[in-house]
Amino acid sequence: MPVYEQQVLDLDDGIQPVQQPVIHPGQPIQQRFEAFHALNPWVLRHLEALAADCVAKGFKRVGIGMLFELLRWRYGQATQGDAFRLNNDYRSRYVRLLIERHREWAHLFETRALRAA
């Protein structure tokens, strides 16, 4: 099926302007992530929808980096010039949340030991 005829996953519904938390110098990454996630719970929902779409299409491996870039692209389509600032440092935290919520996806993602708290 040509790309233009494929069904596009509708992520525009629920995309909101990103809210950035106040970050304090030296604040541990886990605290920064938790603050960001609390202000932007829709990000996890959309990453989850993208991952579920990959599973439905039979992907054997999924990269959180790919999901981040897809979400950035969809965000750009759904907003008018609003910069989507999604910190790459949060990738490892989001993939762990996805696996926590969907244990059956654990084999899809490669995870490494966390280096920073």
Side-chain angles (χ1 to χ4, degrees), residues 31-73:
Q31 287 181 354
R32 294 189 322 242
F33 168 73
E34 289 171 5
F36 179 86
H37 179 56
L39 291 173
N40 303 283
W42 64 269
V43 170
L44 177 61
R45 288 192 303 270
H46 285 282
L47 290 171
E48 193 170 37
L50 286 166
D53 190 52
C54 290
V55 169
K57 288 183 170 54
F59 284 42
K60 302 294 182 217
R61 301 289 289 169
V62 177
I64 191 66
M66 176 189 72
L67 299 181
F68 262 45
E69 295 308 322
L70 285 170
L71 184 54
R72 285 181 172 124
W73 181 74

Side-chain angles (χ1 to χ4, degrees), residues 74-88:
R74 296 295 297 180
Y75 187 85
Q77 287 190 319
T79 62
Q80 296 297 318
D82 186 23
F84 183 48
R85 296 176 313 251
L86 180 57
N87 190 331
N88 285 338

Side-chain angles (χ1 to χ4, degrees), residues 90-105:
Y90 300 158
R91 288 179 180 194
S92 61
R93 275 42 183 196
Y94 273 115
V95 78
R96 282 167 173 75
L97 281 179
L98 289 171
I99 292 170
E100 182 180 308
R101 291 171 60 117
H102 300 275
R103 299 246 182 238
E104 68 277 14
W105 292 354

